[in-house]
Amino acid sequence: MSEAPHLTFDFEKPGMSKGHLVVPKGADCEALSLPVFSLNKGEGPRLLITGGCHGNELEGPIVARRLIEWLPEAQTCGRIIIVPVLNPPALKAFTRNTPIDGLNLNRVFPGRANGSVTERIADAVSRILLPTADTIFDLHSYGPGWEFPLVNTTHPIADPDLMAKTIRMAEAFKLPMTLIWEHPETPGMFDTLAQNQGKVFVCPELGGGEVGAEALAIYEAGVRNGLIALGLIEGKSANLTFRHQKSTQALETRRSSDELYSPARGIFEPRCSILDEVKQGGLIGILHPMESLSALSIDILAPGTSIVCGIRSGSYVEVGEFIALLGRPLNH
């Protein structure tokens, strides 16, 4: 390997800097240069904002570029580093995973210096960018094929103090929903790495489907609220409206009951929408087998009273595919 990962500028230098995070070349591809923006206004919080971890989630890179346009005039203290796109090969291919090695960047942290390209990206981020920050905003969206609200997500954290700080930060965005997602034990996630180092990590998720102007505006306003809460910019937090709802709600999921999967192969027909409240036994959707007209359609029912956090758009699904996510009010 010809070089170690590095930044092409000094982020400690006062004021605004622009450059690149260089990810060294390997056997599978040449070196990558990830554009990086830094604004250092002295003492204060240290924030890292990243987007484009998954290449088919375009809202994060868009909002990150929007922030760069107005932050130089608005930021009053501290340091903000922004990387609009963590995974350029996936973005160019509009794929969730890196097309070169087929890996999911958000499942390989902290990466490997001598690994494949996705692992080298994770290694560069882990070694060069993560140490610069105390707080991370990792901008995601749920990608094509899903209806999902504008939501700030995190996972349960063993440290109660860090869990409380993370929830407060997530709720400060004032997005329509804050979701504590009891995710399956998945190694290599960016948030797990950061939280194990005692850092506050929040992950805004913009709904799936098409990239729309209204949702992007709410997403940007939510991130701005987060910057105000950190004290990096001045102003009053905006109360955000989504689908005529002004209030926000905090929900949690239970892995054992709130993630619903297809029981058979066929077309999934959604019968409810995000933020709908469903009673126990309520109809979430219908699975229509297509291989035989004698096979009966299957009702997908809510295992308990809950709120629809996400639902698969009408699509052909295989057995065991994820089709809906439910939640219930969070007990602080």
Side-chain angles (χ1 to χ4, degrees):
M1 191 169 294
S2 59
E3 60 183 4
H6 62 276
L7 288 169
T8 61
F9 66 95
D10 180 7
F11 62 81
E12 297 286 1
K13 184 178 69 174
M16 184 175 67
S17 302
K18 296 179 182 179
H20 293 85
L21 173 66
V22 177
V23 179
K25 69 178 181 179
D28 51 1
C29 72
E30 292 298 313
L32 301 177
S33 293
L34 282 55
V36 179
F37 166 91
S38 174
L39 188 56
N40 186 358
K41 292 200 173 180
E43 294 296 321
R46 301 188 304 165
L47 174 66
L48 171 64
I49 300 177
T50 56
C53 179
H54 296 134
N56 61 352
E57 300 176 11
L58 305 183
E59 290 86 349
I62 293 171
V63 170
R65 288 299 299 262
R66 288 186 178 188
L67 297 176
I68 291 170
E69 293 176 3
W70 55 262
L71 267 176
E73 298 299 323
Q75 186 177 332
T76 58
C77 66
R79 184 178 66 216
I80 301 175
I81 294 177
I82 301 178
V83 188
V85 179
L86 288 179
N87 195 339
L91 179 75
K92 292 175 183 177
F94 192 60
T95 55
R96 178 177 175 82
N97 293 359
T98 312
I100 298 169
D101 58 12
L103 296 180
N104 180 342
L105 176 57
N106 203 27
R107 299 295 185 273
V108 300
F109 281 92
R112 291 192 303 142
N114 61 348
S116 66
V117 61
T118 309
E119 294 171 313
R120 296 198 305 277
I121 294 172
D123 174 71
V125 172
S126 301
R127 287 205 277 157
I128 306 299
L129 295 179
L130 189 56
T132 70
D134 303 311
T135 303
I136 298 91
F137 296 168
D138 189 29
L139 310 183
H140 283 253
S141 55
Y142 217 68
W146 279 79
E147 184 185 21
F148 211 77
L150 291 95
V151 55
N152 224 342
T153 67
T154 186
H155 304 309
I157 303 170
D159 181 345
D161 182 57
L162 184 59
M163 182 82 259
K165 290 179 181 178
T166 302
I167 292 176
R168 285 197 298 270
M169 188 71 260
E171 291 182 329
F173 278 56
K174 296 189 176 181
L175 292 176
M177 183 188 298
T178 295
L179 182 63
I180 313 303
W181 191 341
E182 189 181 281
H183 201 277
E185 292 295 331
T186 304
M189 296 185 75
F190 190 15
D191 57 348
T192 303
L193 175 66
Q195 289 161 351
N196 286 342
Q197 297 177 15
K199 301 175 186 290
V200 172
F201 188 110
V202 294
C203 177
E205 292 266 9
L206 194 69
E210 297 180 356
V211 179
E214 180 183 9
L216 282 168
I218 297 173
Y219 199 154
E220 181 180 5
V223 175
R224 181 179 180 275
N225 285 344
L227 295 172
I228 292 171
L230 278 174
L232 287 163
I233 65 174
E234 296 178 346
K236 183 178 180 181
S237 295
N239 291 314
L240 308 179
T241 300
F242 177 72
R243 296 193 174 182
H244 308 295
Q245 295 188 22
K246 292 186 178 180
S247 61
T248 61
Q249 52 188 329
L251 303 176
E252 60 182 344
T253 70
R254 297 171 186 165
R255 180 185 173 192
S256 60
S257 60
D258 293 331
E259 295 183 0
L260 305 185
Y261 297 88
S262 175
R265 178 187 296 127
I267 295 175
F268 175 68
E269 174 196 350
R271 283 295 185 94
C272 56
S273 297
I274 51 173
L275 304 183
D276 284 353
E277 182 176 342
V278 290
K279 303 296 184 182
Q280 183 174 0
L283 185 63
I284 300 294
I286 300 175
L287 196 285
H288 300 287
M290 289 292 149
E291 295 177 350
S292 170
L293 293 179
S294 62
L296 297 177
S297 295
I298 303 170
D299 290 347
I300 310 298
L301 305 178
T305 298
S306 50
I307 295 171
V308 179
C309 298
I311 190 163
R312 186 77 173 259
S313 301
S315 59
Y316 190 86
V317 296
E318 297 290 339
V319 178
E321 278 199 51
F322 190 25
I323 54 176
L325 177 67
L326 309 178
R328 64 204 71 252
L330 174 67
N331 295 317
H332 287 282

